[in-house]
Amino acid sequence: MTPLTQRRAWKALEAHHQKIKKLHLRDLFAADPKRGERMTAEAVGIYLDYSKNRITDETLSLLIQLAGESGLRERIDAMFRGEKINITETRAVLHVALRAPRGASIVIDGENVAPRVHAVLDKMSDFSSRVRSGAWKGHTGKPIRNIVNIGIGGSDLGPVMAYEALKHYSDRSLTFRFVSNIDGADFAESVRDLDPSETLFIVASKTFTTLETMTNAHTARDWSLKGLGGDEKAVARHFVAVSTNAAEVAKFGIDTANMFEFWDWVGGRYSMDSAIGLSTMVAIGPDSFRSMLDGFHQMDEHFRTAPFDRNLPVLMGLLAVWYNNLFNAQTVAVLPYDQYLKRFPAYLQQLTMESSGKRVTLAGAEVTCETGPIYWGEPGTNGQHSFYQLIHQGTRLIPCDFIVFGQTLNPPGRHHDMLVANVFAQTEALAFGKTPEQVKAEGTPEWLVPHRVFEGNRPSNTILAERLTPQALGKLVALYEHSVFTQGVIWDIDSFDQWGVELGKVLAQRMIPELESTAEPNLSHDSSTNSLIRRYRRLKESSGPDPAQQ
Ligand code: G6Q
């Protein structure tokens, strides 16, 4: 692939950027009264208003040209065909197969995987229904009331986010907890008020070797057995596994009959709709889970088939590239105006930054441009009372995605109109600002005017959907997944590996014995690391009683 900065469309974009970079959204809107209706796209029930971006029609057509020249169409087709586009791990990338309808045909290495996907979904449905109805009994014969998902990264962030997002649809008689951190406080605080005889652990790990998850799973096993009289048979009633690694699951003591399978062509951060979503299915029930999968699938089909100029993930991906590479914006703020989406920015951080945090191209050459921007955010309106100041009046350009729904799930009172008024008012203020003339006309003393001016021209997308349903959540997540895909194709990177994360998995392993050994270890790190280890060992030995217990 020709390096990005040498592609024809890129050069044209650079020249075009020079020409229009100073254009103000105020002038763009004034020159085209229909801009706010025209620069929008709608598909599968999601409305995207991208008119408040610093673009013209020419920008869009050049970005679409860039997508064409970068081989986006071919790469989309290659992904859906099951080609091994995750080249550094020699794997297909087929999260889209997880939500393909029954009867679809998606072939990897000569095998149609759709029937296997649906067999696992059926097994999950059966299990979830038994837990929800109380038919699945714990070791002492009591029904399960608490479900604790143990996993980390892709095996945690999706389940947590989906549980929070779809809480409205969940069975409120069940309690859900999510344990991820190796910090013992996470496990201890998650189970302190739970009864082991009513608690089921879902150990979710693609590899079933991840230090944090395995450590927490063993602690959970001890906690369970202790609370249940020590009978090893209890494990089968209180532990199930979600994994690709049957051998390790069996070694842990979980009956592989209680294992829910997924496959190496599902990346961790793309796995919330695989068996990794078991906790989600127990929470909202099999029908709602399937409706979420249908939402994913509708967006997949839109992405696969819609022309680029009306393709929501393509448009969002290209706009992300425009700000990241032409305006040198370093971050993107994701601002859901929906309390249920409070974990959505954290979920997106993994999806976007693990996928796009790469510095070499598919061919292994240094990239010639910046890659993944930093994604961050908080639900509105809370963010308005903290970091929005910097977005409005700071020196950095921060493109924002505002997400909002037309209907609330909690109707009483005027809350929803007020919430929505805040979204629209924010995007308007960011785009149009307030000129010195306007500030003066308000009677502001001269010296205060510069402080009260909002220069505006701060870009945003508004994503509007009818209501936060399981289906809508599926569409929203797939929208971002495919936007990330689009960005990765332009940058010509492998969006599906994560060697930086793999590094973290081995680094600490070497050091654990040095912290734990009773004999003074022979340290051969740098002087800083050596003395930190020595200091920690001394601190550990001198630890007194817990002040909370005194
Ligand atoms: C995701 C990453 C990473 C992974 C976790 C957990 O794309 O690979 O976040 O999900 O490290 O891995 P396991 O599921 O194998 O425990």
Side-chain angles (χ1 to χ4, degrees):
M1 169 68 59
T2 316
L4 174 62
T5 48
Q6 285 167 33
R7 286 175 224 157
R8 268 215 332 273
W10 171 264
K11 291 187 176 159
L13 256 180
E14 269 188 325
H16 167 74
H17 175 250
Q18 285 307 320
K19 250 186 10 220
I20 73 144
K21 66 181 180 193
K22 296 257 164 65
L23 278 186
H24 201 290
L25 282 167
R26 260 181 236 138
D27 302 319
L28 290 168
F29 271 88
D32 174 6
K34 291 242 182 282
R35 181 181 170 97
E37 290 154 44
R38 225 164 42 74
M39 287 194 160
T40 63
E42 188 168 10
V44 302
I46 301 230
Y47 179 77
L48 169 68
D49 176 351
Y50 58 90
S51 63
K52 294 190 182 87
N53 280 291
R54 291 168 66 171
I55 55 169
T56 64
D57 290 330
E58 193 185 350
T59 319
L60 266 189
S61 86
L62 288 171
L63 283 168
I64 287 165
Q65 243 169 275
L66 179 66
E69 214 181 306
S70 307
L72 180 59
R73 169 58 52 217
E74 296 74 15
R75 295 283 297 282
I76 293 173
D77 292 343
M79 172 169 75
F80 279 85
R81 264 202 310 271
E83 278 179 31
K84 298 197 169 142
I85 60 168
N86 175 359
I87 59 155
T88 73
E89 295 182 306
T90 332
R91 285 177 181 166
V93 175
L94 267 180
H95 39 280
V96 293
L98 298 169
R99 48 259 194 160
R102 217 183 272 280
S105 169
I106 297 179
V107 178
I108 305 174
D109 293 333
E111 188 204 349
N112 179 11
V113 295
R116 289 173 74 186
V117 167
H118 282 274
V120 173
L121 279 172
D122 291 342
K123 185 172 166 181
M124 288 166 65
S125 302
D126 174 58
F127 173 77
S128 303
S129 302
R130 280 156 70 199
V131 172
R132 287 164 64 86
S133 71
W136 178 284
K137 299 276 191 291
H139 184 61
T140 63
K142 286 192 188 167
I144 295 299
R145 299 173 54 85
N146 317 307
I147 291 91
V148 182
N149 188 79
I150 300 181
I152 195 163
S155 302
D156 167 70
L157 286 159
V160 181
M161 183 278 288
Y163 171 68
E164 291 295 341
L166 301 177
K167 206 180 236 173
H168 179 79
Y169 304 89
S170 70
D171 180 339
R172 304 295 181 129
S173 68
L174 297 173
T175 296
F176 288 82
R177 300 274 161 80
F178 298 85
V179 177
S180 53
N181 201 332
I182 190 75
D183 184 338
D186 200 5
F187 180 80
E189 291 294 341
S190 299
V191 300
R192 61 179 300 134
D193 57 345
L194 304 185
D195 175 351
S197 65
E198 300 178 331
T199 303
L200 174 86
F201 291 93
I202 300 177
V203 185
S205 175
K206 183 170 166 179
T207 54
F208 230 73
T209 55
T210 305
L211 175 77
E212 292 89 338
T213 302
M214 288 302 103
T215 308
N216 280 320
H218 280 284
T219 305
R221 196 173 187 278
D222 295 346
W223 178 86
S224 257
L225 288 180
K226 190 166 162 229
L228 293 168
D231 184 352
E232 293 275 335
K233 282 211 266 330
V235 174
R237 306 307 306 163
H238 292 270
F239 283 79
V240 298
V242 178
S243 189
T244 58
N245 191 344
E248 286 295 327
V249 169
K251 233 200 261 169
F252 181 88
I254 296 177
D255 185 349
T256 46
N258 297 334
M259 170 178 150
F260 299 85
E261 194 192 2
F262 67 117
W263 306 275
D264 73 356
W265 40 265
V266 182
R269 55 194 173 279
Y270 296 89
S271 66
M272 61 171 274
D273 46 350
S274 72
I276 289 289
L278 184 61
S279 58
T280 316
M281 194 192 267
V282 176
I284 63 173
D287 291 346
S288 292
F289 192 85
R290 283 179 196 272
S291 158
M292 179 181 83
L293 295 184
D294 177 53
F296 271 103
H297 179 65
Q298 287 186 41
M299 186 57 80
D300 293 343
E301 282 304 285
H302 166 70
F303 178 56
R304 190 175 68 80
T305 58
F308 290 166
D309 62 349
R310 275 180 281 133
N311 192 311
L312 305 182
V314 171
L315 288 168
M316 283 189 56
L318 291 175
L319 286 166
V321 169
W322 171 243
Y323 292 115
N324 185 64
N325 296 103
L326 279 309
F327 283 89
N328 293 322
Q330 289 165 334
T331 79
V332 177
V334 180
L335 308 164
Y337 276 63
D338 192 296
Q339 185 63 17
Y340 290 115
L341 290 182
K342 66 181 179 194
R343 295 290 292 169
F344 193 62
Y347 172 78
L348 277 191
Q349 281 188 322
Q350 183 189 26
L351 177 65
T352 58
M353 288 156 73
E354 202 170 306
S355 299
S356 305
K358 311 290 160 66
R359 47 161 278 283
V360 293
T361 65
L362 286 170
E366 287 274 343
V367 292
T368 55
C369 59
E370 296 289 346
T371 56
I374 297 154
Y375 277 73
W376 59 286
E378 276 288 317
T381 58
N382 298 16
Q384 288 176 208
H385 297 265
S386 64
F387 55 77
Y388 276 41
Q389 168 61 34
L390 188 147
I391 306 181
H392 280 287
Q393 285 192 305
T395 54
R396 292 174 192 281
L397 181 77
I398 302 180
C400 301
D401 289 350
F402 288 86
I403 303 170
V404 66
F405 297 92
Q407 295 170 14
T408 176
L409 298 173
N410 293 289
R414 297 166 58 212
H415 289 257
H416 201 61
D417 287 341
M418 292 188 185
L419 179 76
V420 178
N422 271 282
V423 184
F424 296 165
Q426 286 293 331
T427 64
E428 188 177 29
L430 286 168
F432 298 100
K434 204 186 243 188
T435 62
E437 294 67 39
Q438 287 171 310
V439 176
K440 278 181 214 157
E442 287 171 353
T444 310
E446 197 65 39
W447 67 270
L448 195 53
V449 170
H451 297 276
R452 302 198 56 171
V453 164
F454 292 80
E455 63 177 357
N457 218 11
R458 315 224 160 187
S460 66
N461 289 315
T462 304
I463 298 164
L464 180 61
E466 188 177 82
R467 143 192 269 258
L468 178 54
T469 58
Q471 200 187 61
L473 183 71
K475 291 172 187 172
L476 200 57
V477 173
L479 170 65
Y480 277 94
E481 285 178 348
H482 299 319
S483 162
V484 167
F485 182 92
T486 302
Q487 296 168 53
V489 170
I490 306 289
W491 295 321
D492 190 27
I493 56 175
D494 189 333
S495 306
F496 302 102
D497 62 10
Q498 57 282 312
W499 297 105
V501 174
E502 309 301 337
L503 174 71
K505 291 189 178 184
V506 292
L507 280 184
Q509 294 284 7
R510 262 175 39 214
M511 210 173 274
I512 293 168
E514 296 173 343
L515 303 186
E516 285 186 331
S517 78
T518 42
E520 197 58 33
N522 234 341
L523 299 176
S524 54
H525 304 275
D526 58 274
S527 59
S528 158
T529 310
N530 285 346
S531 54
L532 286 167
I533 293 174
R534 286 195 197 102
R535 186 165 282 262
Y536 169 74
R537 289 177 58 90
R538 283 204 304 278
L539 279 174
K540 187 164 101 146
E541 274 152 27
S542 65
S543 61
D546 176 358
Q549 308 297 325
Q550 286 175 348

